């Protein structure tokens, strides 16, 4: 069964850091671009970041660039999101999502994980 | 960056009604536009991509149209299971921005 499973969520104090992981099963992650998307409680979807299959090209939401970092370890079939200097506004369900093999035809998402909840609170 | 503006933010309609949601891009994105349906507590489900291509398994009452900057999602005959929030998303390149969402109620 093809699936993405996020982990690493939890409660963190403001100003602290947290790292999320996304493990893939049933597919070879290194073949695909990967996204992070977040959703604050009761709010809409917010695109966070995208990484190319080889990990060389990284793209970020303007509002999060500099605090968040996307990375991947293709040998472990795993995607990561490092989040620094967290604030209560970062409280959200963080989804990893699978993109295309190449970006010349767009970066459409075709598979979502179930999400990892991050709560930033003192 | 290109902004995506969806309207309305919410709507209430009757069973069998025709429902229309619009999405406007601040700059042209040709047809790199997807529509997502999200039910409470669920992962988003892809309805339409390439502005008008119906994803496999999605009922034909969902239709998409538009190109460039103006796009429309239409539910031709609203059903109880269509109660959800709908999002447009540009995907021509990063950032793959979402619209703010439209909550559809009956």
């Amino acid at each position: 069964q093809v699936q993405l499973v996020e982990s690493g969520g939890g409660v963190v104090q403001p100003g602290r850091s947290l790292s999320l992981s996304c493990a893939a099963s049933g597919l070879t992650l290194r073949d695909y671009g990967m996204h992070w998307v977040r959703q604050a409680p009761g709010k809409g979807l917010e695109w966070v970041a995208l990484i190319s299959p080889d990990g060389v090209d990284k793209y970020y939401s303007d509002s999060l660039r500099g605090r968040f970092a996307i990375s991947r370890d293709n040998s472990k079939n795993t995607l990561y999101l490092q989040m620094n200097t967290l604030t209560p506004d970062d409280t959200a369900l963080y989804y990893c999502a699978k993109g295309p093999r190449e970006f010349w035809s767009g970066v459409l998402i075709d598979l979502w994980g179930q999400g990892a909840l991050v709560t930033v609170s003192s | 960056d290109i902004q995506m503006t969806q309207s309305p933010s919410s709507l209430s309609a009757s069973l069998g009604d025709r429902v229309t949601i619009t999405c406007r891009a601040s700059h042209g994105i040709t047809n790199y536009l997807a529509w997502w349906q999200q039910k409470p507590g669920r992962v988003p489900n892809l309805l339409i991509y390439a502005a008008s291509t119906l994803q496999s398994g999605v009922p034909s009452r969902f239709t998409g149209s538009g190109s460039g900057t103006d796009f429309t999602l239409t539910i031709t005959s609203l059903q109880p299971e269509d109660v959800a929030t709908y999002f447009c998303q540009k995907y021509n390149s990063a950032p793959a921005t979402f619209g703010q969402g439209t909550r559809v109620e009956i």
Side-chain angles (χ1 to χ4, degrees), chain A residues 39 47 62 105-107 109 112-113, chain B residues 1 32 36 38 43 91 94-96:
Chain A
Q39 187 168 34
W47 180 84
D62 281 348
S105 61
V107 294
I109 291 170
W112 297 69
Chain B
D1 289 342
Y32 288 92
W36 298 90
Q38 188 180 33
V43 169
Y91 66 91

Side-chain angles (χ1 to χ4, degrees), chain A residues 35 37 39 44-47 50 59 62 95 104-109 112-114, chain B residues 1 32 34 36 38 42-44 46 49 87 89 91-96 98 100:
Chain A
H35 299 262
V37 176
Q39 187 168 34
L45 300 168
E46 181 182 12
W47 180 84
L50 169 69
Y59 308 87
D62 281 348
Y95 295 102
W104 60 267
S105 61
V107 294
L108 182 65
I109 291 170
W112 297 69
Q114 292 300 309
Chain B
D1 289 342
Y32 288 92
W36 298 90
Q38 188 180 33
R42 303 291 296 274
V43 169
L46 181 63
Y49 62 96
F87 298 91
Q89 184 195 21
Y91 66 91
N92 57 321
S93 62
F98 290 91
Q100 304 95 315

Side-chain angles (χ1 to χ4, degrees), chain B residues 1-5 23-29 68-71 90 97:
Chain B
D1 289 342
I2 297 174
Q3 306 304 312
M4 305 300 293
T5 304
C23 180
R24 174 165 289 176
S26 59
H27 292 84
I29 57 171
T69 60
D70 294 308
F71 302 89
K90 64 172 280 290
T97 309

Side-chain angles (χ1 to χ4, degrees), chain B residues 9-61:
Chain B
S9 57
S10 66
L11 66 90
S12 182
S14 300
L15 291 175
D17 278 357
R18 183 183 185 91
V19 170
T20 299
I21 299 168
T22 63
C23 180
R24 174 165 289 176
S26 59
H27 292 84
I29 57 171
T30 59
N31 69 336
Y32 288 92
L33 193 283
W35 288 99
W36 298 90
Q37 176 194 62
Q38 188 180 33
K39 298 182 179 180
R42 303 291 296 274
V43 169
N45 179 51
L46 181 63
L47 297 176
I48 288 169
Y49 62 96
S52 60
T53 302
L54 198 66
Q55 173 72 344
S56 176
V58 174
S60 59
R61 64 180 179 273

